[in-house]
């Protein structure tokens, strides 16, 4: 089922009585989440991800704007009546109940015409447990499970009511690195198998990029960009998005455009059009550098880090906004860090320029 967010806004009143500074946690969010897709809601801590999710769930009421599930306006509907499954960072299982009882819990609370008989409930609980592959653990207590297993129970409990929408708020944050990787793939598999429209909140760009059909990048309550992960990575709308996506992160330089030439410091790296003369911010993805004897960009090499298939050349440049410039080069290349300079050509589709004041993208063509 599709979810429509229409001018969705949440303003929290000031916590401090002396100041009247209210917090605009979510600022005029508009988006139609397509049916059956997994959407990654991504941004740094405090940007309004959880607040957006809580409004979709009904746990928080919007200050203004509307939410539709399909064609139904659910803005005023209570959480229980929205048909959602919710999973949080801290698994929030009942410690005194077994896994089976935890999963059964939401079904036992169904009332009126939704009430199920015992056999149906057990069958549904078993199916949910099987979907997340914990059917062997049904008689254990949460304390007898690993973090990853506990989170699977929480997911099973969210799925057992066969929700129309699955909402996950940083569900992997409490897991160690390897389990995080494995569990995110599991979530993707379950989402594909069930076809439930899912919103997955995370501050981890790699996590969001790897499992989402589409990502929404937020900053201070404002949506910055929405698109397929690869499209947003390849075509960031502004400096914030360019910097937020990618590991190692994009290299940022101070530069300028003069007479159709793009300069990084005194290095004339590219001829571009049609951009008027101005100072700009330049971003180059680490994979955008090509070692070249006559390359226009001259960096001072510091170190080469081995990454297996690739190497990362760490260098410096006077116009770099960061202490180091990091390029990723195929390990077959021989790099001599004792030389004065490494010289690079830049792949045109891996370099972005941004307005120095607004930090919005400036589009150009290579001459
Ligand atoms: P995220 O999940 O992206 O880290 P949140 O949605 O939790 O961000 O918070 C967004 C902003 O709203 C933050 O500035 C946060 O301090 C503020 N905020 C969240 N909940 C409340 C609340 N109940 N009262 C006041 N301010 C809040
Ligand atoms: Mg949050």
């Amino acid at each position: 089922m599709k979810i429509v967010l229409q001018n969705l806004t949440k303003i929290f009143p000031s916590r401090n009585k002396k100041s009247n500074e209210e917090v605009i946690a979510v600022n005029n969010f508009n988006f139609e989440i397509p049916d059956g897709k997994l959407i990654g809601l991504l941004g740094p801590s405090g940007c309004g991800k959880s607040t957006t999710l809580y409004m979709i769930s009904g746990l928080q009421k919007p200050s203004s704007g509307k939410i539709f599930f399909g064609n139904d306006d659910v803005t005023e509907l209570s959480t229980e009546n929205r048909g959602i499954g919710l999973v949080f960072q801290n698994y929030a299982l009942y410690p005194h109940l077994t896994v089976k009882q935890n999963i059964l819990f939401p079904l036992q609370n169904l009332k009126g015409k939704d009430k199920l008989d015992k056999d149906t409930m057990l069958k549904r609980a078993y199916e949910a447990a099987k979907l997340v592959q914990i059917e062997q653990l049904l008689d254990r207590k949460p304390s007898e499970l690993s973090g990853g297993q506990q989170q699977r129970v929480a997911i099973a409990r969210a799925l057992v009511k066969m929700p129309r929408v699955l909402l996950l708020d940083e569900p992997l944050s409490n897991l160690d690195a390897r389990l995080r990787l494995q569990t995110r793939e599991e979530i993707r598999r379950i989402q594909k198998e069930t076809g439930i429209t899912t919103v997955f909140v995370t501050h981890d760009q790699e996590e969001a990029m790897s499992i989402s059909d589409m990502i929404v990048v937020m900053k201070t309550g404002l949506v910055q960009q929405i698109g397929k992960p690869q499209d947003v990575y390849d075509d960031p709308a502004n400096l914030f998005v360019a910097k937020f996506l990618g590991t190692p992160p994009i290299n940022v330089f101070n530069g300028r455009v003069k007479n159709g030439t793009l300069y990084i410091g005194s290095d004339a790296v590219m001829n571009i059009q049609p951009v008027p003369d101005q100072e700009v911010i330049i971003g180059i993805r680490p994979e955008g550098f090509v070692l070249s004897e006559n390359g226009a960009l001259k960096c001072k090499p510091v170190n080469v880090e081995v990454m297996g298939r690739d190497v990362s050349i760490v260098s410096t440049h006077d116009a770099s906004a960061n202490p180091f410039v990091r390029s990723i080069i195929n390990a077959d290349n021989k790099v001599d860090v004792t030389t004065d300079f490494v010289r690079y050509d830049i792949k045109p589709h891996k370099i972005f320029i941004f307005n120095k004041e607004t930090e919005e993208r400036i589009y150009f063509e290579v001459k």
Side-chain angles (χ1 to χ4, degrees), residues 10-15 22-26 41-54 60 169-170 201-203 218 220-221:
K10 180 71 181 181
I11 300 171
F12 290 110
S14 162
R15 282 193 183 128
E22 47 190 24
V23 177
I24 308 178
V26 178
L41 195 52
L42 178 64
S45 176
C47 72
K49 306 180 294 293
S50 294
T51 305
T52 303
L53 202 76
Y54 296 163
Q60 262 168 8
D169 192 359
E170 312 245 7
V201 162
T202 177
H203 63 273
M218 289 182 81
T220 56

Side-chain angles (χ1 to χ4, degrees), residues 5 53 97 125 154 158 174 185 206 209 229 236 304 326 350 358 365:
L5 310 181
L53 202 76
L97 299 182
N174 284 357
E185 282 156 14
E206 196 206 325
M209 298 262 284
V304 175
R326 220 170 256 280
K350 292 290 181 183
T358 65
E365 281 169 31

Side-chain angles (χ1 to χ4, degrees), residues 144-271:
E144 297 163 340
L145 301 176
S146 70
Q149 290 167 334
Q150 289 186 47
Q151 194 56 297
R152 281 158 194 258
V153 178
I155 295 168
R157 192 179 53 182
L159 290 171
V160 75
K161 271 167 62 174
M162 300 183 180
R164 304 192 282 176
V165 174
L166 184 61
L167 304 171
L168 307 155
D169 192 359
E170 312 245 7
L172 310 178
S173 298
N174 284 357
L175 307 181
D176 65 44
R178 189 201 293 234
L179 256 181
R180 255 202 324 265
L181 209 70
Q182 191 189 336
T183 313
R184 83 181 187 207
E185 282 156 14
E186 283 286 289
I187 289 175
R188 182 53 163 162
R189 175 186 61 79
I190 294 161
Q191 191 274 331
K192 278 195 163 159
E193 267 178 49
T194 56
I196 298 179
T197 309
T198 299
V199 183
F200 182 104
V201 162
T202 177
H203 63 273
D204 181 334
Q205 56 91 22
E206 196 206 325
E207 198 168 281
M209 298 262 284
S210 61
I211 63 168
S212 305
D213 292 303
M214 288 178 100
I215 56 172
V216 178
V217 184
M218 289 182 81
K219 175 192 171 194
T220 56
L222 280 166
V223 171
Q224 303 292 302
Q225 195 168 358
I226 300 178
K228 290 184 186 158
Q230 191 69 48
D231 293 349
V232 179
Y233 180 83
D234 289 341
D235 203 5
N238 58 41
L239 181 63
F240 176 82
V241 175
K243 281 163 80 170
F244 201 74
L245 301 185
T247 35
I250 195 162
N251 297 283
V252 180
F253 301 88
N254 299 308
R256 69 200 154 89
V257 179
K258 195 157 183 248
N259 297 329
T261 302
L262 181 63
Y263 290 91
I264 297 179
S266 54
D267 299 343
V269 291
M270 213 169 271
N271 291 320

